[in-house]
Structure formats: C-alpha cells, structure tokens
Amino acid sequence: ATARHPAPALLEAIAVEAAPRLGEFNTQALSNTAWAYASAGHAAPRLFDALAAEATRRLPDFSPQGVANIAWAFATARHPARPLFDAIAREAPARLSSFREQHLSNLAWSFAIAPT
C-alpha cells in the first residue's frame, strides 16, 4: 500500500515528533498511528520501534480491534517486533471470545506473515 496523497516529508516530521511522545497517546491513537504508516507504505523504523515498545507495555489496555490493528500494521509494514508479537501471543488467548470475526482473521493473518 502507498499513501494516496504522498507527503513523505510530513510523515517523517510527524514520526520524529510522535516517537518520544507515544506515552501521551491512548491505545487507539497508538494503533491508528501504526495503521496509518503501514497503510501509507512509509518506513519509519524509529517510530515503529517506539510504537512496539509502548504497545507491548500497554497491551492489556488495547481493545480487541486495537490488538488486531497494531498486529496488522506491523505485519503490513514488515517491521520486526518479536517482543510485541510474543506479548500478543501470551495475552490475546484469554480474550479471544471478545474478538469479532474480522479481528480474529486479521490477527491470524498478521501472525502468518509477520517478520521474525
């Protein structure tokens, strides 16, 4: 995927500004940010590393959609995040009954293609 309105300089500036402030983001903003960068096809390794660390720390607070979306974003971006995926693998099974079909399928797909 690529941005429909390419603005690489803007996306890079946002990544630089956002990365150190991710602790201020709620969990939806974390997953939305990862989703946006993955959807745009914009590589932002420092941002993705920071997102992975923050999401891993706060994973129990994510909604089922948030868990599925952040996994999808990392898999789509092909950005390795083994600690995040390990945390999802440990935490999600107890919550799977609250996941909708789309969340389940996105999560399975993400684990199928995520880089190690």
Side-chain angles (χ1 to χ4, degrees):
T2 57
R4 291 188 181 175
H5 188 91
L10 175 61
L11 289 173
E12 192 54 36
I14 292 169
V16 168
E17 182 65 29
R21 296 175 50 187
L22 293 177
E24 302 169 23
F25 286 39
N26 66 31
T27 57
Q28 182 175 351
L30 292 172
S31 62
N32 287 353
T33 301
W35 177 88
Y37 278 79
S39 295
H42 185 87
R46 288 188 187 107
L47 176 62
F48 271 91
D49 287 345
L51 282 163
E54 190 66 24
T56 299
R57 186 176 72 74
R58 294 173 47 196
L59 192 61
D61 299 330
F62 275 72
S63 68
Q65 182 176 357
V67 172
N69 285 354
I70 202 149
W72 178 92
F74 275 84
T76 298
R78 306 292 295 155
H79 187 88
R82 180 172 224 112
L84 173 59
F85 277 81
D86 288 347
I88 293 170
R90 281 190 311 273
E91 198 268 334
R95 299 174 48 196
L96 289 179
S97 64
S98 66
F99 281 49
R100 292 184 177 172
E101 318 66 55
Q102 188 69 48
H103 307 146
L104 294 169
S105 63
N106 286 354
L107 191 57
W109 178 86
S110 298
F111 271 78
I113 71 143
T116 57

